[in-house]
Amino acid sequence: MKDYSTEQMPVQEGLLGISYTNFITQESANSIRAAVGFRKIHPEQLQASLDGSSLIVAAYDQVRAVGMARLIWDGGAVALIRDIIVVPDYQMRGIETELIKQIFDFLNSKLKPGFGIQVDVMAWKSQEKIYEDLGFQVSLPQRRGMPMHICLTNQIELTDAMFQQ
């Protein structure tokens, strides 16, 4: 399978002086996660997640990373947009929408005649309206099954203290 993560997109200037690129460090990604109240991920594991993504889109206010989104794509018909995270002071300013639009641009550039890609996303709080405005539809369990998950760990409890260096 082709490694799409190596395709570089130029830095693009967006609204409010926010720039977008396809690179983010694991330190910046964990900083964004912490800003929204998510637990930090072990640096080695997070780097593997970033490296394994088909595409990363990161939003920067000058040099500070303020948002990110990851695309997990099989190179064919199924894609998942994950980690659409924007630090609280920058939320609801169009950054979430721009992150997704850039992922759509990437996926649309891979479409051939007759192809289609199912793109899934998990909506949090106020994101549902953003996603609906971009064309996403709520998945009904009768049509797509019930979303389920499990978190596998060899730790009894995952805490940010584990990642202090």
Side-chain angles (χ1 to χ4, degrees), residues 1 8 11 22 25 31 33 53 68 76 102 119 124 139 145 152:
M1 179 180 353
Q8 297 295 312
V11 174
N22 68 330
T25 65
S31 176
R33 290 180 61 80
S53 299
M68 65 173 284
Q102 291 200 22
V119 182
W124 291 86
S139 297
L152 302 176

Side-chain angles (χ1 to χ4, degrees), residues 66-124:
V66 296
M68 65 173 284
R70 293 187 316 118
L71 172 68
I72 302 166
W73 178 43
D74 65 6
V78 178
L80 172 64
I81 302 175
R82 290 293 310 193
D83 302 329
I84 306 165
I85 310 170
V86 176
V87 298
D89 291 348
Y90 290 83
Q91 291 176 0
M92 305 308 291
R93 295 187 186 182
I95 294 172
E96 296 92 339
T97 298
E98 185 60 28
L99 293 168
I100 295 170
K101 283 182 176 180
Q102 291 200 22
I103 289 174
F104 282 175
D105 289 347
F106 171 82
L107 289 171
N108 281 320
S109 76
K110 305 302 180 190
L111 287 175
K112 296 178 182 176
F115 278 32
I117 301 171
Q118 176 182 309
V119 182
D120 292 329
V121 67
M122 178 71 71
W124 291 86

Side-chain angles (χ1 to χ4, degrees), residues 11-32:
V11 174
Q12 297 179 3
E13 193 68 29
L15 297 173
L16 306 169
I18 302 296
S19 59
Y20 298 86
T21 186
N22 68 330
F23 176 79
I24 192 166
T25 65
Q26 57 86 9
E27 294 91 350
S28 291
N30 257 336
S31 176
I32 293 170

